[in-house]
């Protein structure tokens, strides 16, 4: 989901600063909720550090290919939310993306506002969706495939929607832009297929290793209802 340099430039890039500010405000709200309901400040810091390291590895180690106006990544946003909570996941996404830009991909820094918006706003969306489709009494380790698929599809769909927005905002509704956006969306279908399976596999491991996957390093909701 890294927006390619040049897709949005000049004065238009100022909009990304505003959307990023909104994304950070959402992340702050999620982090505050985590402090209140998910163990306090110290566990949030620990989970955020783990999430940051994972996000960085997702971007640098996992295969990623430029397609159309952006790159296709296996980000595992819903997995991070289920394992570590929405607050830690949002901090990890923002910090992991920033570390990658600062030390390994400085050419991506001008697009940081767009990219962080593209990651954080859909995460906030699936945090709300999870409250609607997962009963309060259900631990996340007992999620059904349909629920994992809904969360993953919503997250990846949000990413595709934001990438399309930035492309059309930067280049207008041209035939070329539409083709590039369609190519990117089609390529992202592979991620939508893989991520729910990854979610269920990780949750199955957490359920098997119940003793090891409890405590401050993991989301309280992983093994107990709300």
């Amino acid at each position: 989901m890294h927006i390619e340099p040049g897709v949005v430039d000049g004065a238009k890039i100022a909009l990304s600063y505003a959307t990023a500010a909104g994304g950070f405000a959402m992340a702050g709200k999620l982090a505050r909720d985590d402090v209140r309901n998910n163990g306090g400040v110290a566990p949030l810091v620990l989970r955020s550090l783990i999430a940051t390291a994972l996000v960085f590895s997702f971007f640098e180690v996992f295969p990623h290919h430029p397609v159309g106006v952006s790159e296709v990544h296996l980000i595992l946003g819903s997995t991070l939310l289920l394992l570590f909570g929405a607050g830690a996941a949002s901090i990890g996404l923002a910090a992991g993306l920033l570390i990658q830009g600062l030390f390994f991909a400085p050419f991506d820094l001008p697009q940081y506002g767009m990219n962080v918006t593209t990651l954080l706003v859909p995460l906030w969306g699936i945090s709300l969706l999870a409250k609607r489709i997962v009963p309060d009494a259900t631990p996340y380790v007992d999620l059904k495939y349909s629920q994992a698929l809904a969360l993953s599809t919503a997250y990846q769909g949000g990413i595709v929607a934001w990438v399309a927005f930035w492309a059309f905002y930067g280049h207008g509704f041209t035939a070329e832009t539409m083709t590039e956006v369609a190519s990117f969306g089609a390529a992202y279908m592979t991620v939508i297929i893989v991520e729910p399976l990854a979610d269920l596999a990780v949750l199955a491991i957490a359920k098997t290793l119940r003793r090891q996957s409890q405590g401050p390093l993991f989301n309280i909701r992983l093994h107990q209802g709300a």
Side-chain angles (χ1 to χ4, degrees):
M1 42 51 63
H2 283 72
I3 304 296
E4 293 294 311
V7 171
V8 178
D9 52 19
K12 284 188 173 183
I13 207 168
L15 177 63
S16 69
Y17 305 147
T19 60
F24 288 136
M26 292 176 185
K29 170 66 164 58
L30 294 173
R32 185 181 65 185
D33 291 345
D34 262 16
V35 169
R36 183 181 303 153
N37 305 317
N38 210 354
V41 175
L44 174 64
V45 171
L46 291 173
R47 292 194 300 271
S48 298
L49 289 172
I50 296 171
T52 299
L54 288 173
V55 169
F56 176 75
S57 68
F58 296 161
F59 287 146
E60 284 296 310
V61 178
F62 283 8
H64 51 278
H65 306 285
V67 179
V69 294
S70 187
E71 291 183 350
V72 175
H73 283 271
L74 186 62
I75 303 170
L76 300 180
S78 57
T79 310
L80 293 172
L81 182 146
L82 296 170
L83 286 179
F84 305 114
S90 60
I91 293 171
L93 287 167
L97 181 66
L98 181 61
I99 291 171
Q100 185 201 35
L102 287 173
F103 298 104
F104 293 90
F107 50 85
D108 273 336
L109 286 177
Q111 289 77 241
Y112 180 77
M114 290 179 279
N115 291 328
V116 79
T117 300
T118 302
L119 291 174
L120 293 184
V121 176
L123 186 81
W124 174 76
I126 66 168
S127 73
L128 299 179
L129 179 62
K131 294 177 181 178
R132 292 178 61 89
I133 67 174
V134 182
D136 288 345
T138 302
Y140 284 158
V141 291
D142 292 331
L143 235 59
K144 298 176 182 177
Y145 176 80
S146 59
Q147 294 167 324
L149 179 63
L151 292 173
S152 176
T153 302
Y155 185 68
Q156 304 303 336
I159 286 176
V160 171
W162 271 104
V163 168
F165 168 78
W166 293 120
F168 290 129
Y169 172 67
H171 287 167
F173 286 87
T174 66
E176 181 181 359
T177 303
M178 291 181 182
T179 299
E180 290 182 338
V181 169
S183 298
F184 174 78
Y188 235 89
M189 286 301 296
T190 58
V191 177
I192 292 175
I193 293 170
V194 170
E195 186 165 40
L197 299 175
D199 287 348
L200 292 176
V202 169
L203 291 174
I205 293 170
K207 190 171 186 177
T208 301
L209 302 176
R210 183 181 182 92
R211 182 176 299 177
Q212 291 82 0
S213 58
Q214 287 183 312
L217 298 183
F218 294 93
N219 188 3
I220 289 177
R221 187 71 194 276
L222 191 60
H223 290 287
Q224 66 184 54

